[in-house]
Amino acid sequence: MKELLEFLAREIVDEPDAVVVVESSGDRGVLLTLKVAPDDMGKVIGRAGRTARAIRTVVRAAATRQGVSVHVDIAD
Amino acid sequence: MEAALDELGVTEQEARIEVLQEPRSGFLGVGSQDAIVRVTARAESVEAEDLEEQADAAADFVEEMLSRMGIDASAEPAIHGNQMYVDIVGDDEDDMALLIGRHGQTLEAIQELTRLAVGRRLDERTRVLVDVEDYRKRREDRLVQKARDVARRVAKSGREEEFEPMNPYERKLVHDAVAEVAGVESSSRGEEPNRFVVVRRR
């Protein structure tokens, strides 16, 4: 899941090298925290949060398949 | 303007954009006015070569994404007329259903990310459509058929009819289908994401 999120984020930002995903486990499943370059924040969030929603939807679909619960956080 | 481009289903290069009114900020909000732009679709669009390049880039992205999702499927690029498609094809029905998601939500998300990724890879806007086992195409065929039926009914009865809320691309399909029926016209009402098409007698 971490690798998928890293891939998706790197594909849409201007500074792919600055993309970092930290994985931790909480009581409600896996928590993935996405960090990108400050100038790329708008890119991963998108107009009215559209891009962030799309990223979460795809990551969640992949997680469902593996029977795990994943939450994606975007760190600012 | 982006909303207008979405509605027309064209990219910036395929549209003619005229500024009819410059925006003015006014004083303390008094006398401010929004910009008004007219966006019209240009008949001739991007070169076929560009479309092929975009379709290939889109298929690449989708395949890489699928492999990271652990899904065994391929992404096949195709161009029909002026429209690029990437159709995801796989044998596992559960996986294909997962990629479509409830009401096609996951498919929409995949398409959104594909457009962004291709846009960044090739540095141009793209309106590639991503489909899973022709799910979208079948749905669109049904939608166009329904739009024709409704338009004919309105032409006869004179009673206005509303469609359920749809995304800009689907609204465009409905507008186009309605336009082919004489004596009726359509427009969109409401705010995203609940914007819907209304058909009335002209």
Side-chain angles (χ1 to χ4, degrees):
Chain A
M1 239 39 65
K2 180 172 182 271
E3 206 202 339
L4 173 65
L5 178 57
E6 276 167 354
F7 167 75
L8 295 175
R10 283 190 183 128
E11 284 288 330
I12 56 179
V13 298
D14 289 328
E15 291 180 55
D17 292 342
V19 170
V20 177
V21 174
V22 178
E23 185 174 344
S24 56
S25 59
D27 16 311
R28 282 182 302 160
V30 180
L31 175 68
L32 296 177
T33 306
L34 172 65
K35 288 179 193 163
V36 299
D39 286 349
D40 279 331
M41 279 301 280
K43 285 242 158 79
V44 291
I45 291 170
R47 191 158 43 109
R50 230 166 108 164
T51 310
R53 197 157 55 235
I55 291 173
R56 289 194 173 103
T57 301
V58 171
V59 172
R60 215 177 294 134
T64 303
R65 198 174 170 277
Q66 298 178 6
V68 287
S69 164
V70 170
H71 184 82
V72 175
D73 239 11
I74 298 170
D76 51 8
Chain B
M1 198 181 81
E2 273 189 44
L5 291 171
D6 273 355
E7 185 103 6
L8 291 168
V10 297
T11 64
E12 225 170 299
Q13 299 100 295
E14 296 162 3
R16 197 174 59 234
I17 296 156
E18 302 157 73
V19 178
L20 302 181
Q21 177 180 298
E22 295 286 350
R24 227 179 22 216
S25 55
F27 178 68
L28 296 173
V30 178
S32 69
Q33 59 180 26
D34 290 335
I36 298 177
V37 287
R38 176 188 286 147
V39 180
T40 33
R42 258 202 297 241
E44 241 352 271
S45 69
V46 203
E47 299 291 316
E49 237 172 77
D50 287 345
L51 284 183
E52 252 170 65
E53 198 187 0
Q54 290 183 12
D56 288 345
D60 268 0
F61 167 81
V62 172
E63 285 204 338
E64 285 184 44
M65 183 199 70
L66 290 170
S67 82
R68 284 170 177 82
M69 291 176 86
I71 291 174
D72 183 24
S74 61
E76 296 170 2
I79 295 167
H80 301 302
N82 246 336
Q83 183 63 59
M84 297 166 277
Y85 288 89
V86 171
D87 194 24
I88 300 174
V89 182
D91 291 331
D92 190 316
E93 276 178 33
D94 289 344
D95 277 348
M96 296 304 110
L98 182 85
L99 291 174
I100 293 168
R102 198 152 44 101
H103 305 311
Q105 269 172 1
T106 309
L107 183 54
E108 286 302 320
I110 292 171
Q111 173 168 290
E112 175 87 18
L113 297 175
T114 304
R115 289 181 173 186
L116 291 171
V118 172
R120 198 189 66 93
R121 283 185 185 196
L122 303 178
D123 204 23
E124 56 193 359
R125 271 174 68 110
T126 163
R127 55 189 176 100
V128 63
L129 287 177
V130 181
D131 212 343
V132 173
E133 300 273 0
D134 285 334
Y135 161 86
R136 189 190 295 277
K137 204 159 171 295
R138 289 197 302 269
R139 189 185 136 83
E140 282 167 10
D141 290 346
R142 278 200 302 275
L143 185 61
V144 167
Q145 188 53 53
K146 184 184 167 192
R148 284 191 197 121
D149 293 345
V150 169
R152 287 196 197 106
R153 204 158 60 217
V154 172
K156 213 179 277 172
S157 73
R159 258 200 312 273
E160 182 177 299
E161 290 198 40
E162 294 175 359
F163 280 81
E164 68 274 19
M166 282 174 216
N167 65 38
Y169 177 73
E170 290 173 338
R171 292 200 304 272
K172 167 87 161 56
L173 290 177
V174 173
H175 288 313
D176 288 351
V178 171
E180 283 169 24
V181 177
V184 290
E185 62 184 9
S186 62
S187 58
S188 297
R189 251 184 233 163
E191 295 297 319
E192 301 284 6
N194 294 314
R195 210 162 152 76
F196 58 91
V197 176
V198 182
V199 182
R200 76 182 82 72
R201 187 133 73 178
R202 206 202 296 267

